Coordinates of all heavy atoms in Angstrom, one line a residue:
M1 N -26.2 28.0 12.2 CA -26.6 28.1 10.8 C -25.9 26.9 10.0 O -24.8 26.5 10.4 CB -26.1 29.4 10.3 CG -26.4 29.6 8.8 SD -25.9 31.3 8.3 CE -27.2 31.6 7.3
L2 N -26.6 26.4 9.1 CA -26.1 25.3 8.3 C -26.3 25.6 6.8 O -27.3 26.1 6.4 CB -26.8 24.0 8.7 CG -26.3 22.7 8.0 CD1 -25.0 22.3 8.6 CD2 -27.4 21.6 8.2
R3 N -25.3 25.2 6.0 CA -25.4 25.3 4.6 C -25.1 24.0 3.9 O -24.1 23.4 4.4 CB -24.5 26.4 4.0 CG -24.7 26.5 2.5 CD -24.1 27.7 1.9 NE -22.7 27.8 2.1 CZ -21.9 28.8 1.6 NH1 -22.4 29.7 0.9 NH2 -20.6 28.8 1.9
I4 N -25.9 23.5 3.0 CA -25.8 22.2 2.4 C -25.7 22.5 0.9 O -26.7 23.1 0.3 CB -26.8 21.2 2.7 CG1 -27.0 21.0 4.2 CG2 -26.6 19.9 2.0 CD1 -28.3 20.3 4.6
T5 N -24.6 22.2 0.2 CA -24.4 22.4 -1.2 C -24.4 21.0 -1.9 O -23.7 20.1 -1.4 CB -23.2 23.1 -1.5 OG1 -23.2 24.4 -0.8 CG2 -23.1 23.4 -3.0
T6 N -25.2 20.8 -2.9 CA -25.3 19.6 -3.6 C -24.5 19.7 -4.9 O -24.8 20.6 -5.7 CB -26.8 19.2 -3.9 OG1 -27.4 19.1 -2.6 CG2 -26.8 17.8 -4.6
C7 N -23.6 18.8 -5.2 CA -22.8 18.8 -6.4 C -22.9 17.4 -7.0 O -22.5 16.4 -6.4 CB -21.3 19.1 -6.1 SG -21.0 20.8 -5.4
A8 N -23.5 17.3 -8.2 CA -23.6 16.1 -8.9 C -22.8 16.0 -10.1 O -22.7 17.0 -10.8 CB -25.1 15.8 -9.2
N9 N -22.2 14.9 -10.4 CA -21.4 14.6 -11.6 C -21.5 13.2 -11.9 O -22.3 12.4 -11.3 CB -19.9 15.1 -11.5 CG -19.2 14.4 -10.4 OD1 -19.5 13.2 -10.1 ND2 -18.3 15.1 -9.7
A10 N -20.8 12.7 -12.9 CA -20.9 11.3 -13.4 C -20.5 10.3 -12.3 O -20.9 9.1 -12.3 CB -20.0 11.1 -14.7
E11 N -19.6 10.8 -11.4 CA -19.2 9.8 -10.4 C -20.1 9.7 -9.2 O -20.0 8.7 -8.4 CB -17.8 10.3 -9.8 CG -16.7 10.3 -10.9 CD -15.4 10.9 -10.4 OE1 -15.3 11.2 -9.2 OE2 -14.5 11.1 -11.2
G12 N -21.0 10.6 -9.0 CA -22.0 10.5 -7.9 C -22.4 11.9 -7.5 O -22.2 13.0 -8.2
T13 N -22.9 12.0 -6.3 CA -23.4 13.3 -5.7 C -22.7 13.5 -4.4 O -22.5 12.6 -3.5 CB -24.9 13.2 -5.4 OG1 -25.6 12.9 -6.7 CG2 -25.5 14.5 -4.9
R14 N -22.2 14.8 -4.3 CA -21.5 15.2 -3.0 C -22.4 16.2 -2.3 O -22.9 17.2 -3.0 CB -20.1 15.8 -3.4 CG -19.4 16.3 -2.2 CD -18.1 17.0 -2.7 NE -17.2 16.0 -3.2 CZ -16.0 15.7 -2.5 NH1 -15.7 16.2 -1.4 NH2 -15.3 14.8 -3.1
L15 N -22.7 15.9 -1.1 CA -23.3 16.9 -0.2 C -22.3 17.6 0.7 O -21.7 16.9 1.5 CB -24.4 16.2 0.7 CG -25.5 15.4 0.0 CD1 -26.4 14.8 1.0 CD2 -26.3 16.3 -0.9
I16 N -22.1 18.9 0.5 CA -21.1 19.6 1.2 C -21.8 20.3 2.4 O -22.7 21.2 2.2 CB -20.4 20.6 0.3 CG1 -19.7 19.9 -0.8 CG2 -19.3 21.4 1.2 CD1 -19.2 20.8 -1.9
V17 N -21.5 19.9 3.6 CA -22.1 20.4 4.8 C -21.2 21.4 5.5 O -20.1 21.1 5.8 CB -22.5 19.2 5.8 CG1 -23.3 19.8 7.0 CG2 -23.3 18.2 5.0
E18 N -21.7 22.6 5.7 CA -21.0 23.7 6.4 C -21.7 24.3 7.5 O -22.9 24.6 7.4 CB -20.7 24.8 5.3 CG -19.9 24.3 4.1 CD -19.8 25.4 3.1 OE1 -20.7 25.5 2.2 OE2 -18.8 26.1 3.1
G19 N -21.0 24.4 8.7 CA -21.7 25.1 9.8 C -22.0 24.1 10.9 O -21.4 23.1 11.1
K20 N -23.0 24.4 11.7 CA -23.4 23.7 12.8 C -24.6 22.7 12.5 O -25.6 23.1 12.0 CB -24.0 24.6 14.0 CG -22.8 25.5 14.5 CD -23.4 26.4 15.6 CE -22.3 27.3 16.1 NZ -22.7 28.1 17.3
L21 N -24.3 21.4 12.7 CA -25.3 20.4 12.5 C -26.0 20.1 13.8 O -25.6 19.3 14.6 CB -24.7 19.1 11.9 CG -25.6 17.9 11.6 CD1 -26.7 18.4 10.6 CD2 -24.8 16.8 11.0
A22 N -27.0 20.9 14.1 CA -27.6 20.9 15.4 C -29.1 21.4 15.3 O -29.4 22.2 14.4 CB -26.9 21.7 16.4
G23 N -29.9 21.0 16.2 CA -31.3 21.5 16.3 C -32.1 21.2 15.0 O -32.0 20.1 14.4
A24 N -32.8 22.3 14.5 CA -33.6 22.1 13.3 C -32.8 21.9 12.1 O -33.3 21.3 11.1 CB -34.4 23.3 13.1
C25 N -31.5 22.2 12.1 CA -30.6 22.0 10.9 C -30.5 20.5 10.6 O -30.2 20.1 9.5 CB -29.3 22.7 11.1 SG -29.4 24.5 11.2
V26 N -30.5 19.7 11.6 CA -30.5 18.2 11.4 C -31.5 17.8 10.5 O -31.3 16.9 9.6 CB -30.5 17.5 12.8 CG1 -30.5 16.0 12.5 CG2 -29.4 17.9 13.7
G27 N -32.7 18.2 10.7 CA -33.8 17.9 9.7 C -33.6 18.3 8.3 O -34.0 17.7 7.4
E28 N -32.9 19.5 8.2 CA -32.6 19.9 6.8 C -31.7 19.0 6.1 O -31.8 18.7 4.9 CB -32.1 21.4 6.9 CG -33.1 22.4 7.2 CD -34.2 22.4 6.2 OE1 -34.0 22.5 5.0 OE2 -35.4 22.4 6.6
L29 N -30.6 18.6 6.8 CA -29.7 17.6 6.2 C -30.4 16.3 5.9 O -30.2 15.7 4.8 CB -28.5 17.3 7.1 CG -27.5 16.3 6.6 CD1 -27.0 16.7 5.2 CD2 -26.4 16.1 7.5
E30 N -31.3 15.9 6.8 CA -32.0 14.6 6.5 C -32.9 14.8 5.3 O -32.9 13.9 4.4 CB -32.9 14.2 7.7 CG -33.6 12.9 7.5 CD -34.3 12.4 8.7 OE1 -34.5 13.1 9.7 OE2 -34.7 11.2 8.7
K31 N -33.6 15.9 5.2 CA -34.4 16.1 4.0 C -33.6 16.1 2.7 O -34.0 15.5 1.7 CB -35.2 17.5 4.2 CG -36.0 17.8 3.0 CD -36.6 19.2 3.3 CE -37.4 19.7 2.0 NZ -37.8 21.1 2.2
C32 N -32.5 16.8 2.7 CA -31.6 16.9 1.6 C -31.1 15.5 1.2 O -31.1 15.1 0.0 CB -30.5 17.8 1.8 SG -29.4 18.2 0.4
W33 N -30.7 14.7 2.2 CA -30.1 13.4 1.9 C -31.2 12.5 1.3 O -31.0 11.8 0.4 CB -29.6 12.8 3.2 CG -29.5 11.3 3.3 CD1 -28.9 10.5 2.4 CD2 -30.1 10.4 4.2 NE1 -29.0 9.2 2.7 CE2 -29.8 9.1 3.9 CE3 -30.8 10.6 5.4 CZ2 -30.1 8.0 4.6 CZ3 -31.2 9.5 6.2 CH2 -30.8 8.2 5.8
R34 N -32.4 12.5 1.9 CA -33.5 11.7 1.4 C -33.9 12.0 0.0 O -34.2 11.1 -0.8 CB -34.7 11.7 2.4 CG -34.3 11.0 3.7 CD -35.5 10.6 4.6 NE -35.2 10.1 5.8 CZ -34.8 8.9 6.1 NH1 -34.7 8.0 5.1 NH2 -34.5 8.4 7.3
E35 N -34.0 13.3 -0.3 CA -34.3 13.7 -1.7 C -33.2 13.2 -2.7 O -33.5 12.8 -3.7 CB -34.4 15.3 -1.7 CG -35.7 15.8 -1.1 CD -35.7 17.3 -1.0 OE1 -34.8 18.0 -1.5 OE2 -36.7 17.8 -0.5
T36 N -32.0 13.4 -2.2 CA -30.9 12.9 -3.1 C -30.9 11.4 -3.3 O -30.8 10.9 -4.4 CB -29.5 13.4 -2.5 OG1 -29.5 14.8 -2.4 CG2 -28.4 12.9 -3.4
A37 N -31.1 10.7 -2.2 CA -31.2 9.2 -2.2 C -32.3 8.7 -3.0 O -32.3 7.5 -3.5 CB -31.2 8.6 -0.8
S38 N -33.4 9.5 -3.2 CA -34.6 9.0 -3.9 C -34.3 9.0 -5.4 O -35.0 8.3 -6.1 CB -35.8 9.9 -3.6 OG -35.6 11.1 -4.2
T39 N -33.2 9.7 -5.9 CA -32.9 9.8 -7.3 C -31.6 9.1 -7.6 O -31.3 9.0 -8.8 CB -32.9 11.2 -7.8 OG1 -32.0 11.9 -7.1 CG2 -34.3 11.8 -7.6
T40 N -30.8 8.7 -6.6 CA -29.5 8.1 -6.9 C -29.2 7.0 -5.9 O -29.8 7.0 -4.8 CB -28.4 9.2 -6.9 OG1 -27.2 8.6 -7.3 CG2 -28.3 9.8 -5.5
S41 N -28.3 6.1 -6.2 CA -28.0 5.1 -5.2 C -27.2 5.6 -4.0 O -26.4 6.5 -4.2 CB -27.0 4.1 -5.9 OG -26.4 3.2 -5.0
P42 N -27.6 5.2 -2.8 CA -26.9 5.7 -1.6 C -25.4 5.6 -1.7 O -24.6 6.4 -1.1 CB -27.4 4.9 -0.4 CG -28.8 4.4 -1.0 CD -28.6 4.2 -2.4
V43 N -24.9 4.5 -2.3 CA -23.4 4.3 -2.4 C -22.7 5.4 -3.2 O -21.5 5.5 -3.2 CB -23.0 2.9 -2.7 CG1 -23.5 1.9 -1.8 CG2 -23.6 2.6 -4.1
S44 N -23.5 6.0 -4.1 CA -22.9 7.1 -4.9 C -23.0 8.5 -4.3 O -22.6 9.4 -4.9 CB -23.5 7.1 -6.3 OG -24.9 7.6 -6.2
I45 N -23.4 8.6 -3.0 CA -23.5 9.8 -2.3 C -22.3 9.9 -1.3 O -22.0 9.0 -0.5 CB -24.9 9.9 -1.5 CG1 -26.0 9.8 -2.4 CG2 -24.9 11.2 -0.7 CD1 -27.4 9.7 -1.8
L46 N -21.7 11.0 -1.4 CA -20.5 11.3 -0.5 C -20.9 12.6 0.3 O -21.2 13.6 -0.4 CB -19.2 11.5 -1.3 CG -18.0 11.9 -0.5 CD1 -17.6 10.7 0.3 CD2 -16.8 12.3 -1.5
V47 N -20.8 12.5 1.6 CA -21.1 13.7 2.4 C -19.8 14.3 2.9 O -19.0 13.6 3.6 CB -22.0 13.3 3.6 CG1 -22.2 14.5 4.5 CG2 -23.3 12.8 3.1
D48 N -19.5 15.5 2.6 CA -18.3 16.2 3.0 C -18.5 17.0 4.3 O -19.3 18.0 4.3 CB -17.8 17.1 1.9 CG -16.4 17.8 2.1 OD1 -16.0 17.8 3.3 OD2 -15.8 18.2 1.1
L49 N -17.9 16.6 5.4 CA -18.0 17.2 6.7 C -16.8 18.1 7.0 O -16.7 18.5 8.1 CB -18.1 16.1 7.7 CG -19.3 15.1 7.6 CD1 -19.2 14.0 8.6 CD2 -20.6 15.8 7.7
S50 N -16.0 18.5 6.0 CA -14.8 19.2 6.3 C -15.1 20.6 6.9 O -14.3 21.1 7.7 CB -14.1 19.5 5.0 OG -13.6 18.3 4.5
S51 N -16.2 21.2 6.6 CA -16.5 22.5 7.1 C -17.6 22.6 8.2 O -18.1 23.6 8.6 CB -17.0 23.5 6.0 OG -15.9 23.6 5.0
V52 N -17.8 21.4 8.8 CA -18.8 21.3 9.9 C -18.0 21.8 11.2 O -16.9 21.4 11.5 CB -19.3 19.9 10.2 CG1 -20.1 19.7 11.5 CG2 -20.1 19.5 9.0
T53 N -18.7 22.7 12.0 CA -18.1 23.3 13.2 C -18.6 22.7 14.5 O -18.0 22.9 15.5 CB -18.3 24.8 13.1 OG1 -19.7 25.1 13.1 CG2 -17.5 25.4 12.0
F54 N -19.8 22.1 14.4 CA -20.4 21.6 15.7 C -21.5 20.5 15.2 O -22.1 20.8 14.2 CB -21.0 22.6 16.5 CG -21.8 22.1 17.7 CD1 -21.1 21.8 18.8 CD2 -23.1 22.0 17.7 CE1 -21.7 21.3 20.0 CE2 -23.9 21.5 18.8 CZ -23.1 21.2 19.9
V55 N -21.5 19.4 16.0 CA -22.6 18.4 15.8 C -23.2 18.1 17.1 O -22.5 17.6 18.0 CB -22.0 17.2 15.1 CG1 -23.2 16.2 14.8 CG2 -21.4 17.5 13.7
D56 N -24.5 18.2 17.3 CA -25.1 17.7 18.5 C -25.5 16.3 18.5 O -25.2 15.6 17.4 CB -26.4 18.6 18.8 CG -27.6 18.5 17.9 OD1 -27.5 17.6 17.0 OD2 -28.5 19.2 18.1
A57 N -26.1 15.7 19.5 CA -26.5 14.3 19.5 C -27.4 13.9 18.4 O -27.2 12.8 17.8 CB -27.1 14.0 20.9
A58 N -28.4 14.7 18.1 CA -29.3 14.4 17.0 C -28.6 14.3 15.7 O -28.8 13.5 14.8 CB -30.4 15.4 17.0
G59 N -27.6 15.3 15.5 CA -26.8 15.2 14.3 C -26.0 14.0 14.1 O -25.8 13.4 13.1
K60 N -25.3 13.6 15.3 CA -24.5 12.3 15.2 C -25.4 11.1 14.9 O -25.0 10.2 14.2 CB -23.8 12.2 16.6 CG -22.7 13.1 16.8 CD -22.0 12.9 18.1 CE -21.0 13.9 18.4 NZ -20.3 13.8 19.7
Q61 N -26.6 11.1 15.5 CA -27.5 10.0 15.2 C -27.9 10.0 13.8 O -28.0 8.9 13.2 CB -28.8 10.2 16.1 CG -29.7 9.0 16.0 CD -30.9 9.2 17.0 OE1 -31.1 10.2 17.7 NE2 -31.7 8.1 17.1
L62 N -28.2 11.1 13.2 CA -28.5 11.1 11.7 C -27.4 10.7 10.9 O -27.5 9.9 10.0 CB -28.9 12.5 11.3 CG -29.1 12.8 9.8 CD1 -30.3 11.9 9.3 CD2 -29.3 14.2 9.4
L63 N -26.1 11.1 11.2 CA -25.0 10.6 10.5 C -24.8 9.1 10.5 O -24.4 8.5 9.6 CB -23.7 11.4 10.9 CG -23.7 12.9 10.7 CD1 -22.5 13.6 11.3 CD2 -23.7 13.2 9.1
A64 N -25.0 8.6 11.8 CA -24.9 7.2 12.0 C -25.9 6.4 11.1 O -25.6 5.4 10.5 CB -25.0 6.8 13.4
G65 N -27.1 6.9 11.1 CA -28.2 6.4 10.3 C -27.9 6.4 8.8 O -28.1 5.5 8.0
M66 N -27.3 7.5 8.3 CA -26.9 7.6 7.0 C -25.8 6.6 6.6 O -25.9 6.0 5.6 CB -26.4 9.1 6.7 CG -27.5 10.2 6.8 SD -26.9 11.8 6.8 CE -26.4 12.0 5.1
H67 N -24.9 6.5 7.5 CA -23.8 5.5 7.3 C -24.4 4.1 7.2 O -23.9 3.3 6.3 CB -22.8 5.6 8.5 CG -21.8 4.5 8.4 ND1 -20.8 4.5 7.5 CD2 -21.5 3.5 9.3 CE1 -20.0 3.4 7.7 NE2 -20.5 2.8 8.7
E68 N -25.3 3.7 8.0 CA -26.0 2.4 7.9 C -26.7 2.2 6.6 O -26.8 1.1 6.1 CB -26.9 2.3 9.1 CG -26.3 2.1 10.4 CD -27.4 2.2 11.6 OE1 -28.5 2.1 11.3 OE2 -26.9 2.2 12.7
Q69 N -27.1 3.3 5.9 CA -27.8 3.2 4.6 C -26.8 3.2 3.5 O -27.2 3.2 2.3 CB -28.8 4.3 4.5 CG -29.9 4.3 5.5 CD -30.7 3.1 5.3 OE1 -31.1 2.7 4.2 NE2 -31.0 2.4 6.5
G70 N -25.5 3.2 3.7 CA -24.5 3.2 2.7 C -23.8 4.5 2.3 O -23.0 4.5 1.4
I71 N -24.2 5.6 3.0 CA -23.6 6.8 2.6 C -22.1 6.9 3.1 O -21.8 6.4 4.2 CB -24.4 8.0 3.4 CG1 -25.8 7.9 3.0 CG2 -23.8 9.3 3.1 CD1 -26.1 8.2 1.5
R72 N -21.3 7.5 2.2 CA -19.9 7.6 2.5 C -19.6 9.1 3.0 O -20.4 10.0 2.7 CB -19.0 7.3 1.3 CG -19.2 5.9 0.8 CD -18.5 5.7 -0.6 NE -19.1 6.6 -1.6 CZ -18.4 7.4 -2.4 NH1 -17.1 7.5 -2.3 NH2 -19.0 8.1 -3.3
F73 N -18.6 9.2 3.8 CA -18.2 10.5 4.4 C -16.8 10.8 4.1 O -15.9 9.9 3.9 CB -18.4 10.5 5.9 CG -19.8 10.3 6.3 CD1 -20.3 9.0 6.6 CD2 -20.7 11.3 6.4 CE1 -21.6 8.8 7.0 CE2 -22.0 11.1 6.8 CZ -22.5 9.8 7.1
T74 N -16.5 12.1 4.0 CA -15.1 12.6 3.9 C -15.0 13.8 4.8 O -16.0 14.5 5.0 CB -14.7 12.9 2.4 OG1 -13.3 13.2 2.4 CG2 -15.5 14.0 1.9
A75 N -13.8 14.1 5.2 CA -13.5 15.3 6.0 C -12.0 15.7 6.0 O -11.2 14.8 5.8 CB -13.9 15.1 7.4
A76 N -11.8 17.0 6.1 CA -10.4 17.4 6.2 C -9.9 17.8 7.6 O -8.8 17.7 8.0 CB -10.2 18.5 5.2
G77 N -10.9 18.3 8.4 CA -10.5 18.8 9.7 C -10.6 17.8 10.8 O -11.2 16.7 10.6
L78 N -10.1 18.1 11.9 CA -10.1 17.2 13.1 C -11.5 16.8 13.5 O -11.8 15.6 13.8 CB -9.3 17.8 14.3 CG -9.2 17.0 15.5 CD1 -8.4 15.7 15.2 CD2 -8.5 17.8 16.6
L79 N -12.4 17.8 13.6 CA -13.8 17.5 14.0 C -14.5 16.5 13.1 O -15.0 15.5 13.5 CB -14.6 18.8 14.1 CG -16.1 18.6 14.5 CD1 -16.3 17.9 15.8 CD2 -16.9 19.9 14.4
G80 N -14.4 16.8 11.7 CA -15.0 15.9 10.8 C -14.4 14.5 10.8 O -15.1 13.6 10.7
K81 N -13.1 14.4 10.9 CA -12.5 13.1 10.9 C -12.9 12.3 12.2 O -13.0 11.1 12.1 CB -10.9 13.3 10.8 CG -10.5 13.7 9.5 CD -8.9 13.8 9.4 CE -8.5 14.2 8.0 NZ -7.0 14.4 7.9
S82 N -12.9 13.0 13.3 CA -13.3 12.3 14.5 C -14.8 11.8 14.4 O -15.2 10.8 14.9 CB -13.1 13.1 15.8 OG -13.9 14.3 15.8
L83 N -15.6 12.6 13.8 CA -17.0 12.2 13.6 C -17.1 11.0 12.7 O -17.9 10.0 13.1 CB -17.8 13.3 12.9 CG -18.3 14.5 13.7 CD1 -18.8 15.6 12.8 CD2 -19.4 14.0 14.7
I84 N -16.3 10.9 11.7 CA -16.3 9.8 10.8 C -15.9 8.5 11.6 O -16.5 7.5 11.4 CB -15.4 10.1 9.6 CG1 -16.1 11.1 8.7 CG2 -15.2 8.8 8.8 CD1 -15.3 11.6 7.6
E85 N -14.8 8.7 12.4 CA -14.4 7.6 13.2 C -15.4 7.1 14.2 O -15.6 5.9 14.3 CB -13.1 7.9 13.9 CG -11.9 8.1 13.0 CD -10.6 8.5 13.7 OE1 -10.6 8.5 14.9 OE2 -9.7 8.9 13.0
E86 N -16.1 8.1 14.8 CA -17.1 7.8 15.8 C -18.3 7.0 15.2 O -18.8 6.1 15.8 CB -17.6 9.1 16.4 CG -18.6 8.9 17.6 CD -18.9 10.2 18.2 OE1 -18.2 11.2 18.2 OE2 -20.0 10.2 18.8
I87 N -18.7 7.3 14.0 CA -19.8 6.6 13.4 C -19.4 5.4 12.6 O -20.2 4.6 12.1 CB -20.7 7.6 12.5 CG1 -19.9 8.1 11.3 CG2 -21.3 8.6 13.3 CD1 -20.7 8.9 10.3
G88 N -18.1 5.2 12.6 CA -17.6 3.9 11.9 C -17.4 4.0 10.5 O -17.3 3.0 9.7
G89 N -17.4 5.2 9.9 CA -17.2 5.3 8.5 C -15.7 5.2 8.1 O -14.8 5.4 8.9
A90 N -15.5 4.9 6.9 CA -14.1 4.8 6.3 C -13.7 6.1 5.8 O -14.5 6.8 5.1 CB -14.0 3.7 5.2
M91 N -12.5 6.5 6.0 CA -12.0 7.8 5.5 C -11.9 7.6 4.0 O -11.5 6.7 3.4 CB -10.6 8.1 6.1 CG -10.6 8.4 7.5 SD -11.7 9.8 8.0 CE -10.9 11.1 7.1
Q92 N -12.2 8.7 3.3 CA -12.1 8.8 1.9 C -11.0 9.6 1.5 O -10.7 10.6 2.0 CB -13.4 9.4 1.3 CG -14.6 8.5 1.6 CD -14.5 7.1 0.9 OE1 -14.1 7.0 -0.2 NE2 -14.9 6.1 1.6

């Protein structure tokens, strides 16, 4: 199960991802990201991976693609931080 919460303010948009980023849920994050990116600059989008509990290969591939498009990531837990390091993102 995956939950994505969108929080927008003057500084940008934060996508808070919670749960397992795997299987069909990967497509849900991609849909949410693309909808958000269509109305705001990718550099103003921050994806919070602090509450992610599992990521499959497709999820990692999506996160890497998001990073290539300028999306920033943040995380508090070990899994999230290691994901950010793996895809080459800078810690926020």
Side-chain angles (χ1 to χ4, degrees):
M1 178 176 223
L2 184 76
R3 179 166 60 176
I4 304 165
T5 305
T6 303
C7 300
N9 60 32
E11 296 175 7
T13 302
R14 178 182 292 251
L15 300 178
I16 303 168
V17 183
E18 300 173 273
K20 295 180 180 183
L21 182 55
C25 294
V26 175
E28 287 301 311
L29 177 58
E30 182 173 15
K31 178 182 171 188
C32 186
W33 158 54
R34 292 197 185 278
E35 287 175 0
T36 302
S38 72
T39 60
T40 186
S41 168
V43 296
S44 69
I45 299 172
L46 179 68
V47 177
D48 187 337
L49 301 172
S50 297
S51 297
V52 170
T53 58
F54 175 79
V55 180
D56 68 5
K60 288 179 184 178
Q61 185 176 7
L62 174 62
L63 294 175
M66 292 169 72
H67 173 68
E68 290 173 8
Q69 296 297 314
I71 303 300
R72 298 172 299 128
F73 298 93
T74 188
L78 183 60
L79 174 62
K81 288 180 179 181
S82 66
L83 279 170
I84 291 171
E85 289 176 14
E86 187 175 333
I87 62 174
M91 292 302 297
Q92 297 296 320

